[in-house]
Amino acid sequence: MASNYPDPMEAGIRPERVNYENGVLLDENDFKDEQTYFRGRLGRALAFLHGSGTVAGLEVAESLTQAHVIVVNAGLALDPLGRMSELPVPYCIRAPEWFAAQNQQDLAESFANSGIDRVIVDLFIRFNVCGRGMTPYLGGGNTEGTDAFTYNRLLDGVAFEMEIRTELPPDRPTPDPFQGLPAIDPTDPPSPAEALAAIKNHKYTRAWDEDKLSGTSDNRVLLSRIQLPCTESPMTYDTNGSIVFNDSVRLLSFTSIELFWLINAMRGDQS
């Protein structure tokens, strides 16, 4: 049995640890607080040191064996709270079936504003806690005094969301690739001294992002902006068309080795 389970990291947490002393009685909340403390500290470090985005894998493509089936391959992403969204096996989305279940007005508006006679959708991955298995427990509240059961384990799983984009192309939201750092003008790039000053200013004034502390921001990770083929009258999925994937909108979270290789590659240095 699996079911969605609330995650305390989305409520905003304080760095408080359980204080253990001989004779102190512990209940379920103390053990939950212990888990939340270590998860919160790890998430805070990952979020502020590495940012959010795709860490490895999670390639989005059309199935090689089934037409019009979107496949998200196994991989790992970091969300804005620093939680690891890990997909151990490929995940499939049947585009025609998904399309048929959507609001017709949203589909028509996306089609009209796309400029290319297609429906534009964003594919997100998000962290999702699932309760798994059942085990007896003492119960509480309305279950006290009955044969109560609760989840045996909590799985750090993932969920996927397809969001229809109804905006005109210039108004579609895209993640900030520099996550708060100033944009770079390729025709007038900053000098090393100017770049260092900009990074210092970012560290001092913008890097401490309150949204990452409160858990109230959009905690999904964008994987791809997808163009779905369709016909306007009636608004139905066109199985004779092709799906187009735009992965340029996704953010990537690089390891230090990947950044080292990238710097050397741009310098042409093989050492």
Side-chain angles (χ1 to χ4, degrees), residues 4-70:
N4 292 338
Y5 195 88
D7 186 3
M9 287 185 66
E10 295 181 355
I13 55 176
R14 301 181 63 183
E16 294 181 344
R17 290 176 288 158
V18 178
N19 182 38
Y20 298 106
E21 296 289 352
N22 284 334
V24 174
L25 296 178
L26 302 175
D27 62 15
E28 61 181 278
N29 291 323
D30 295 307
F31 292 100
K32 289 178 179 178
D33 289 344
E34 181 83 350
Q35 286 189 350
T36 300
Y37 171 79
F38 286 106
R39 291 184 62 228
R41 295 289 84 196
L42 175 60
R44 190 66 49 84
L46 291 175
F48 279 91
L49 286 175
H50 301 286
S52 61
T54 300
V55 177
L58 298 177
E59 180 188 21
V60 181
E62 188 171 359
S63 171
L64 298 176
T65 58
Q66 290 181 282
H68 302 286
V69 173
I70 300 169

Side-chain angles (χ1 to χ4, degrees), residues 141-163:
N142 293 333
T143 63
E144 190 172 0
T146 66
D147 294 332
F149 288 83
T150 188
Y151 298 119
N152 182 258
R153 293 289 187 272
L154 296 179
L155 173 69
D156 288 353
V158 300
F160 292 92
E161 296 178 2
M162 298 260 283
E163 182 174 334

Side-chain angles (χ1 to χ4, degrees), residues 217-238:
S217 62
D218 188 351
N219 295 316
R220 302 174 300 175
V221 176
L222 178 60
L223 297 182
S224 185
R225 181 157 288 165
I226 303 172
Q227 302 173 13
L228 297 179
C230 57
T231 59
E232 184 176 13
S233 298
M235 179 58 63
T236 56
Y237 188 91
D238 183 8

